[in-house]
Amino acid sequence: MTIIFIFIHTRTVRYRRLLPFVLGAALLVTACGARTGGHGDPKIVAAFYPLAWLAEQVAGPDGSVQNLTKPGAEPHDLELTPRQVIDVGESKLAFYIKGVQPAVDKAVREHAKHHSLDASSLVKTLPAPQDEADHGAEDPHLWLDPNRFATVATALGERLAAIDPAHAAGYRSRAAQVVTKLTALDGEFRTGLRDCARKEIVTGHSAFGYLAERYGLTQVGVTGLDPEAEPSPGRLASLTQLVRRTQATTVFTETLASPKTAATLANEAGVRNEVLDPVEGVKRGSSDDYFSIMRRDLATLRPALGCR
């Protein structure tokens, strides 16, 4: 295994000669991503679901999109296969958010530094929760604000137009269509969350800072940005008191992480558990997409917050 990684971290001209050997080794590892979207050029590798979804919308039939994170997998835990590292290097664009997946950050830094797009560099980011010690200074979950995500869509359309000028009009047109839809979604959230009895959303995973900031809510995260972290007994006790003090009716868990901690807090506080999806991935075979999940989240939030 050590020899494999020595091979794939050499310069492109050298690992092309070694490609048959690397691919042979890669067959021993289950691939974590799949190509979706169109079948044209340029080839885009996207780090995980919301970025892959957006890339598919903007690229349309003129590009091909490969999601590095397999359906249903927790993106924070991603480890790239040797084949995927090569795919990052050979792509025309590596589309990612710095700080979410260390393996992707490393592959981009070593193999795609000059043909990558970090979505977090395109918008004003929010700081990580104050109690978060294991991540960088920024919260990466920017796609949960449709307004910021619209800015990313426009920038992606321009970047693809520059890479593939022959299809520039198509990229820009499709990006504009996505922006229109995201703007409409933003309006739905603004209307739906405008008049609510409560503003605090208690979440097992602190993924909803952008959504909270956009719509005037306050996120209370049980575990910080790491969905697998467990709070200390003292933290759990203080959160239980907070839930009771704010008269919250719900502690939210999510689809791809264990609900254990959120369920414990809900039980201690005597409130309900509901799923609030951070749109980090969809399960294989699901008919859901970014818009359907976001609208389901809105429908979940409204009764939990007592919105009229």
Side-chain angles (χ1 to χ4, degrees), residues 29-73:
V29 186
T30 301
C32 289
R35 286 177 176 79
T36 56
H39 302 286
D41 194 55
K43 172 186 166 184
I44 305 155
V45 293
F48 58 108
Y49 175 75
L51 300 183
W53 174 85
L54 186 62
E56 290 169 12
Q57 305 308 303
V58 177
D62 297 322
S64 63
V65 180
Q66 178 184 353
N67 187 350
L68 294 173
T69 305
K70 67 182 180 180

Side-chain angles (χ1 to χ4, degrees), residues 38-194:
H39 302 286
D41 194 55
K43 172 186 166 184
I44 305 155
V45 293
F48 58 108
Y49 175 75
L51 300 183
W53 174 85
L54 186 62
E56 290 169 12
Q57 305 308 303
V58 177
D62 297 322
S64 63
V65 180
Q66 178 184 353
N67 187 350
L68 294 173
T69 305
K70 67 182 180 180
E74 165 56 54
H76 298 272
D77 300 333
L78 177 67
E79 294 294 337
L80 297 179
T81 67
R83 174 67 257 181
Q84 287 178 307
V85 175
I86 293 173
D87 288 339
V88 170
E90 292 184 342
S91 68
K92 291 294 181 64
L93 183 67
F95 189 32
Y96 76 119
I97 296 177
K98 187 177 181 180
V100 177
Q101 299 161 297
V104 175
D105 290 353
K106 182 178 180 181
V108 169
R109 185 171 62 250
E110 296 182 355
H111 302 294
K113 186 176 181 180
H114 300 296
H115 59 270
S116 61
L117 181 61
D118 172 11
S120 68
S121 70
L122 304 170
V123 298
K124 180 181 178 181
T125 56
L126 296 178
Q130 292 182 358
D131 61 344
E132 178 57 42
D134 298 328
H135 289 73
E138 298 178 344
D139 182 346
H141 301 86
L142 57 90
W143 61 91
L144 291 173
D145 174 359
N147 185 60
R148 281 180 170 89
F149 212 29
T151 299
V152 175
T154 299
L156 178 61
E158 291 301 317
R159 184 64 177 270
L160 292 176
I163 292 171
D164 182 19
H167 299 102
Y171 297 128
R172 290 182 175 126
S173 175
R174 287 186 290 269
Q177 292 171 24
V178 176
V179 168
T180 298
K181 294 177 181 178
L182 288 169
T183 301
L185 179 66
D186 179 51
E188 291 175 35
F189 268 82
R190 281 189 173 279
T191 299
L193 300 176
R194 180 177 296 149

Side-chain angles (χ1 to χ4, degrees), residues 126 144 199 201 208-219:
L126 296 178
L144 291 173
K199 295 294 185 181
I201 51 173
F208 299 92
Y210 287 93
L211 186 149
E213 189 247 12
R214 181 69 178 166
Y215 304 112
L217 306 175
T218 300
Q219 174 182 236

Side-chain angles (χ1 to χ4, degrees), residues 193 196-201 217 249 300-307:
L193 300 176
C196 302
R198 292 171 293 279
K199 295 294 185 181
E200 294 81 9
I201 51 173
L217 306 175
T249 64
T300 300
L301 282 169
R302 281 179 45 76
L305 298 179
C307 301

